[in-house]
Amino acid sequence: CDMDKKVLICVYDHESDGDHVLMGQVETSVNGLLGGGSLALTKKGKSTGTLNVKKAEVTGVEEQVQDEEVAGAVVQERPAAPAFVPSAAPPAAGGGAFVPSTQPAYVASGRPTFADYISGGCELNVSIAIDFTGSNGDPRKQGTLHYRSPYGELNDYEKAITSIVQILSAYDKDQMYPVLGFGAKYGGVVRHAFQCGSAQEVYGVKGILDAYRGTFATGLVMSKPTIITEVIQ
């Protein structure tokens, strides 16, 4: 671990709308922080104040070195394959799609939690993945998870999407969402990752619901098995 490697510290004035204002920044190192004292903040070449270091310590370095020695190899992440994009096709006769017959993770003391990241201004990139396997039931039958009500009532998937995305959208600045599906058959081939809708990303909850509903008019056959690996990657 290079204790003298330069790090840039930026200090912001927190704004409730997420558009935080830079107050100043300073370049230092881990050893510089361990030395304590005051660090001069600057902005566009002008002094804007000081950052007082009251306490600094280094933890976890020994564990990291030991893990690297044990591993002894470099793991390369496999690039995710592009999602299949179904072409538009007229719906089957009768409408809709045909359906063939824990414990919480431990968080060590002193480490930031999810709430800490969010309160600190961290943003999320929300992605939607929808299960189109046959186990969800025939969408033409009332009471099934994908049921398409002629009266405009939301089904269980639409309710879940609306409730969850309305909360997460507060932390996704552009509110553009990729919508993917899995578990449906196109042209006799079961697809475990395919694009819902004509666009790679859609805007807002309405865009997600429109892409989801439009998928039933693409000639899909709800199938099996339920495999989520590809859509997660």
Side-chain angles (χ1 to χ4, degrees):
C1 180
D2 186 358
M3 305 284 281
D4 294 311
K5 185 175 182 179
K6 296 299 183 181
V7 294
L8 181 65
I9 300 176
C10 299
V11 179
Y12 287 86
D13 180 22
H14 181 273
E15 301 293 337
S16 59
D17 61 359
D19 190 14
H20 310 310
V21 179
L22 178 66
M23 298 177 66
Q25 60 188 34
V26 59
E27 189 178 79
T28 183
S29 65
V30 174
N31 279 330
L33 292 172
L34 292 174
S38 299
L39 302 174
L41 295 173
T42 61
K43 181 178 180 182
K44 296 182 179 180
K46 297 182 179 180
S47 176
T48 58
T50 57
L51 179 65
N52 296 317
V53 182
K54 294 185 177 180
K55 180 181 179 181
E57 61 182 15
V58 177
T59 62
V61 176
E62 293 181 359
E63 291 86 345
Q64 180 180 353
V65 172
Q66 291 173 358
D67 290 342
E68 291 175 352
E69 292 175 349
V70 171
V74 177
V75 179
Q76 294 183 344
E77 182 179 355
R78 185 181 68 181
F84 170 75
V85 182
S87 58
F98 169 72
V99 183
S101 12
T102 67
Q103 291 288 340
Y106 170 72
V107 179
S109 175
R111 295 183 180 179
T113 65
F114 177 76
D116 293 330
Y117 283 110
I118 294 300
S119 62
C122 179
E123 292 189 4
L124 304 179
N125 291 320
V126 180
S127 300
I128 312 299
I130 303 172
D131 182 0
F132 286 97
T133 55
S135 59
N136 288 281
D138 190 332
R140 297 168 295 186
K141 294 183 179 180
Q142 188 172 4
T144 57
L145 299 180
H146 285 298
Y147 175 62
R148 305 187 67 193
S149 171
Y151 305 107
E153 298 174 350
L154 300 181
N155 62 31
D156 289 336
Y157 273 92
E158 291 168 327
K159 291 177 182 177
I161 290 170
T162 301
S163 299
I164 295 173
V165 177
Q166 281 182 341
I167 295 173
L168 296 181
S169 63
Y171 309 104
D172 193 319
K173 193 169 185 178
D174 64 1
Q175 297 192 22
M176 297 294 295
Y177 311 114
V179 184
L180 302 174
F182 61 94
K185 186 181 292 185
Y186 284 96
V189 178
V190 179
R191 303 288 182 175
H192 301 299
F194 57 88
Q195 179 178 301
C196 297
S198 59
Q200 290 187 347
E201 291 186 328
V202 298
Y203 178 75
V205 175
K206 183 180 184 301
I208 298 173
L209 296 180
D210 289 343
Y212 161 67
R213 293 163 183 164
T215 303
F216 289 97
T218 59
L220 86 165
V221 176
M222 298 174 72
S223 187
K224 62 179 181 180
T226 303
I227 298 177
I228 63 174
T229 305
E230 290 186 28
V231 78
I232 290 176
Q233 291 175 338

